[in-house]
Amino acid sequence: MKKQRPVNLDLTTIQFPAAAISSILHRISGVIMLVAVGMLVWALATSLQSAEGFAMVHGLFSSWLAKFIAWGILTALGYHLLAGVRHMFMDQGYFEEIKSGRISAQIVFVLAIVLSALAGVWLW
């Protein structure tokens, strides 16, 4: 018995559709937020322990690197929120076709870039 299976397993030549990229980035942004919650809870607990702890956390969050990390967290949060709303619409039966799924994923990408730029302006 001869089986017809795909032979092109070179992952660098496979192009994912926009909807697949959107879904993968939604999962990645969720992991980023999970790690960020740990850091932010530590910062909150430290800042509430004493005035010295608050001054230390304030000093940490005043640096350029901390603002960049906060921007990354806010970008992940914004993207995760937008992609989550898109997924909720898909659960209701909208944007399930290939064309509308691609367009909705592209809209999420554009809105995420806008939210990311706004978060950068707000932080700096």
Side-chain angles (χ1 to χ4, degrees):
M1 175 169 27
K2 185 176 180 181
K3 295 182 180 180
Q4 296 291 338
R5 300 191 310 182
V7 293
N8 182 10
L9 298 178
D10 185 10
L11 296 179
T12 59
T13 62
I14 298 173
Q15 292 187 356
F16 290 110
I21 295 170
S22 174
S23 181
I24 292 167
L25 289 177
H26 184 247
R27 293 168 189 234
I28 291 171
S29 66
V31 171
I32 290 170
M33 289 190 321
L34 179 67
V35 172
V37 163
M39 294 187 321
L40 295 174
V41 166
W42 169 83
L44 177 65
T46 303
S47 68
L48 293 176
Q49 284 179 353
S50 65
E52 294 82 20
F54 179 81
M56 181 188 75
V57 170
H58 184 269
L60 283 175
F61 277 85
S62 298
S63 71
W64 180 85
L65 180 62
K67 287 184 180 183
F68 183 74
I69 292 171
W71 174 75
I73 293 169
L74 289 174
T75 298
L77 177 64
Y79 181 81
H80 196 79
L81 176 70
L82 292 170
V85 169
R86 177 180 174 266
H87 280 287
M88 286 194 303
F89 276 111
M90 290 174 67
D91 288 342
Q92 298 298 319
Y94 302 103
F95 311 127
E96 290 182 334
E97 297 80 25
I98 292 175
K99 185 176 180 181
S100 62
R102 185 186 75 240
I103 292 171
S104 67
Q106 291 170 344
I107 290 171
V108 166
F109 294 149
V110 170
L111 290 176
I113 290 170
V114 169
L115 283 179
S116 178
L118 289 174
V121 168
W122 181 60
L123 284 173
W124 281 285

